[in-house]
Every structure is written in structure tokens, then in C-alpha cells.
Amino acid sequence: MTAATKILDPCCGSRMFWFDKDDQRTLFGDIRDEQHVLCDGRALNVEPNVIMDFRSLPFEDGAFKLVVFDPPHLTRAGRDSWLRAKYGILTSDWRDDLSKGFAECFRVLATDGVLIFKWNETQVKVSEILALTDQRPLFGHKSGKREKTHWITFMKRGE
């Protein structure tokens, strides 16, 4: 991490929504480092700068101005499915995992820093997820054909 690094994406996956997938201000992390060929022949590469677990981030308190938290949102997916390859999968302890993930993301976020949270509620409702943190969102937006993907913005409150 350099002094220019101000953004953390601890679940970067294949960096699907990033315009600049190599943004120099961003540290891209993930628990996975793997390559896949999708059914249509496209490559799907999960290649983080640093292997990390969002439940236990290896950074000092307040180290980032912006955190992008896009954890896996699936509780079920076929072992070799493209959905699992693309998004990852939650463990059976997903409530505890995501609660720890929120706590860690807010811990490494500077006071008044911004957390962008992305969640697809196909299998788990966003209301169940927001109940896992005591931080309250400022605003959000639904997207996608069925409006199942939520983009939610938080600003970390001071202690």
C-alpha cells in the first residue's frame, strides 16, 4: 500500500464494475486468485493485488477514504456454475461473516469516509444485510432488470 492508495475494494472479484480496472488509487483485494473460462469462451480472471479476507483486513484503523464492499451474495450455487465463479459464494455462517465484514470495512475507513455497498438480493433480502451493521446508510439506488441489485452509500460517523 502506498501513500497514493486511498481506496480499498476487499472483494474485487474480476473488477466488473470498475471503469479503470487498474486504478492506481485503489488496492484490489480478494480471498480468491483464480482464472475461469465461461461457457461463451470469455475469460473471467480474479486477480487481486493482495489476497485478503474481508472478515479480517490487514490494515490500520482509518487507513482508507473510500471502501467498496461488494461481498458474495449467493448462499447457493452449483459447484462449477458460472455464477459461483463470477461472484463467489457465502459460507453457511454468512450473517456472522457479513457482520464481521461490515465491522472491518468501517474500521479501516477514515472518519467521514465513504463506504459504497453493493448487494444483489436474489437469495437474501437487503434488509437482512443492513441489519448486520449499526451504521446507517445515507442513500441508495436499485439497478438491474428486476431491480434486485442495490447500491448503498454510507458515511462513517465519528466516534
Side-chain angles (χ1 to χ4, degrees):
M1 189 166 97
T2 68
T5 305
K6 301 190 181 329
I7 303 165
L8 174 64
D9 182 347
C11 310
C12 70
S14 63
R15 308 180 194 184
M16 286 179 282
F17 55 74
W18 285 89
F19 287 104
D20 180 354
K21 295 181 186 326
D22 294 310
D23 187 296
Q24 295 302 298
R25 297 165 296 181
T26 307
L27 181 64
F28 295 99
D30 206 290
I31 201 165
R32 305 177 296 155
D33 186 348
E34 55 195 37
Q35 292 73 42
H36 301 275
V37 177
L38 300 177
C39 58
D40 62 3
R42 288 180 297 148
L44 176 78
N45 299 317
V46 177
E47 299 171 321
N49 302 123
V50 177
I51 298 290
M52 66 181 70
D53 183 337
F54 67 74
R55 297 168 295 189
S56 179
L57 296 172
F59 306 108
E60 293 179 17
D61 296 359
F64 298 94
K65 293 184 177 189
L66 174 68
V67 174
V68 179
F69 188 34
D70 178 18
H73 59 269
L74 300 171
T75 57
R76 328 174 280 291
R79 179 167 297 290
D80 297 319
S81 74
W82 68 270
L83 281 172
R84 186 186 205 118
K86 196 169 183 179
Y87 299 111
I89 193 158
L90 294 166
T91 71
S92 59
D93 294 329
W94 62 266
R95 284 180 183 84
D96 186 56
D97 293 342
L98 293 175
S99 181
K100 287 176 182 173
F102 270 119
E104 281 293 279
C105 286
F106 281 114
R107 181 186 64 76
V108 302
L109 188 61
T111 298
D112 295 332
V114 174
L115 183 139
I116 304 294
F117 177 66
K118 179 179 167 272
W119 186 258
N120 182 290
E121 67 175 0
T122 301
Q123 295 181 2
V124 180
K125 296 288 183 199
V126 75
S127 59
E128 291 181 67
I129 303 307
L130 294 179
L132 301 174
T133 179
D134 63 350
Q135 297 276 337
R136 298 294 85 184
L138 294 171
F139 55 87
H141 175 74
K142 294 179 186 179
S143 65
K145 291 179 186 176
R146 293 176 186 87
E147 294 192 336
K148 293 283 189 184
T149 299
H150 295 256
W151 294 85
I152 300 171
T153 304
F154 295 82
M155 180 178 277
K156 181 179 176 179
R157 297 185 303 252
E159 300 304 320

